Amino acid sequence: MAWWDVPFRMVQTNLREIDVTLDPKQLIDDVKEFGANVVLVNVGGIVAFYPTELRFHHRSDFMESDMIDAVIKEAHSQDVKVVGRFDFSKCHSEVYQEHPDWFWVGVDGSPVTYNGLYHTCVNGGYYREYCLKILEEALSAYPLDGVFFNMFGYQVYDYSGNYHGICQCPNCKDLFREKYGEELPREENWQDPVYQKYIEFKRITVLEVAQAISETIRRTRPETGIMLRTDDSDIIRLEVNRALDRELPEWGYWAGEQAKWSASFGKGRPYCSATVHFIDIPYRFVSESAGCMGLRMAQQLAGGSSLDFYVVGTLTQDDQKDYDIVKSLFKYAEKNQPVYDGLRSVARVALLDSRLTREHYERRKPMRYAHHMRGAYRILVENHVPFDIIADERLKDDDALAMLSRYDAVILANVACLTDRQRQVLDDYVEAGGGLIATYETSLWDDKGNEGNQFRLRCLPAKSLEFKREDMRGAYLWLDEDIPGCEKTKRALIDEAYLFVRYEGEPCLRFDPPQPFGPPEKCYQLPGVGSERPGIIFGRYGQGKVAYFPWKVDRLYYRHSLEECAKLLHFALSKVRRMPPIVSTNAPPQVEMSIGANRAGDLIIHLVNFSGKQDTAYFMPLPIQNIEIEVKAEIAAQQAQLLWANSEMPCERTSQGIKLRVPKVELIEAIRIPGGAASL
């Protein structure tokens, strides 16, 4: 097995060029003290941290000796792997002076610069040829255990958030003309079919460069692991961070979402997500709170991710308030490494993440799709439904239907855009007995972002759109059926929009269009003025069941936490899923529960405590006590282990399986049931 096939613990020291004089022993001692067994250090690209012989590879002006050689020798002597960081996104001015054709050209014809550096272009000679020489030199000289590439691909924004538009360099123009017979667009215009070709052009050209890089690495040092977000990667690596100008409140589930997405996209490959130590790029030396870092890493552990901590400079930081919690989680992961070996989710519900919808749907309004996705995500977490994310790229694979078949239900949170292949796989999944929930404009758009009035998923009970009404302020949904948890109310609000659709299926609940809401004397609706339109439509397709919401049930929950929205989506899930849930708990909504199986066949149940997340703040969570978990399966084990508490507890027998009583959950608890996965 390669080193990355076993859960690892990595620290990224994103070195500044002045750090080239660091003490290698001190660096590795610090890494070991964290409990890490992998260190990521800068090697080349913008600055060479070794004595390069290549003319256009800028050596650090502070170099006194071969830092990379010394770091690798010290790391390997202490059984620490070394991953080399390369950044080919920028070069120094002397390179630009001799090869301006290697660089990004703005729409005004000027080169793009930042902090004295020139922005390279993916289609220029530096990315296409010279960076391969750098890799060959570095990998021939140094036994790097892995390589990582920063800011890879088309970077239209700089570190200050300035937008630089579409590169107009001769290489981009010529290559685009060669591939499409069209002139390169000068602006982002989704109504322009040529711009839509440019989106494809970017994807193709990035993959071409990634493939050339991968081939160079495999040829030069084949045992070196590759961290790229492509099918050539050995390790999928993302990053979870904060941005001061990002929409508030902070999306506290982002680390878990990334782990779930990586598990799907990676198709069994290991994954991690760099957990960023600092607040934001302009403030690289001010730490996140301990509560924030702890919550991020707890979610990553529960999601089967290796731990990954990222600082700028060395580990000798001015602000170390997050260090204690990071070290405790690293050392917990180190102690329990065999338990996490091969950990994979065994959830029976999935949430589809549609890159295609995000790409097209949000071009008109930022976060337009994300709010739906995040609302559904929160509803599942807060109702203790273990679930996976399915990256929509997976639906193109030959085994896509087999992959879906393990799920009792799949949720499409306003997945407006689907390719023909994605639609066919989803229809086949339902026809074979799967459950599906779809909301709002799911499948009304094509894969080019064109709106239509026919629902393209055949399995949906909604068949066509009659008209859309977006003035829903004052509209209600009558809860005239028994909805668990809604016994004390007969109404839910709709707001924003409602789709009037032609449907074939069983209507559920009753929609009432906007009613007068002022002044109070006029806040009533005359008898007989209401609507018979449904709030939910249930249907059958083949052997499967489907629920469709013609309104924004998921987005309304994300934005306003309306409990009726959560109850309704959870109610629909109970109606369409193939089998009832295996695991249930009495935990409060602030606790996320996930279930997985490791390589040894143990059942692993994680509980993550979100009680420290409050608005924009992350505090250390309040301990939550006396949590009960019921597993409806024939479990042979008599005892289960509490890994964080380092104790054992009995598996109490019930008529349907076992009951577990967890005395306390602080930040995280993991329950190991030996051999329990075989019963699911």
Side-chain angles (χ1 to χ4, degrees), residues 195-212:
Y195 177 71
Q196 294 187 18
K197 292 178 182 178
Y198 178 70
I199 297 299
E200 180 185 61
F201 171 78
K202 288 200 297 182
R203 192 171 297 122
I204 291 171
T205 50
V206 165
L207 289 175
E208 288 174 351
V209 174
Q211 184 176 3

Side-chain angles (χ1 to χ4, degrees), residues 439-507:
T439 69
Y440 198 49
E441 293 188 311
T442 292
S443 85
L444 273 177
W445 297 34
D446 66 17
D447 57 349
K448 302 298 183 185
N450 300 309
E451 296 183 62
N453 58 11
Q454 300 294 317
F455 289 90
R456 301 174 72 239
L457 273 173
R458 293 194 307 271
C459 65
L460 292 188
K463 300 304 176 183
S464 63
L465 175 65
E466 296 174 355
F467 64 95
K468 179 196 304 185
R469 185 169 171 183
E470 297 186 282
D471 58 337
M472 286 292 103
R473 186 57 50 88
Y476 288 96
L477 189 66
W478 283 95
L479 308 183
D480 44 15
E481 297 194 26
D482 292 333
I483 308 297
C486 295
E487 293 82 6
K488 294 189 177 182
T489 180
K490 291 298 181 183
R491 295 197 195 201
L493 66 85
I494 292 285
D495 210 55
E496 294 198 12
Y498 180 88
L499 302 184
F500 292 78
V501 301
R502 183 181 67 81
Y503 64 91
E504 299 172 3
E506 178 187 347

Side-chain angles (χ1 to χ4, degrees), residues 548-565:
Y548 170 70
F549 288 79
W551 52 288
K552 302 180 181 181
V553 59
D554 34 28
R555 173 178 155 89
L556 288 173
Y557 190 72
Y558 174 75
R559 287 179 53 79
H560 306 297
S561 299
L562 304 171
E563 62 180 283
E564 289 79 19
C565 292

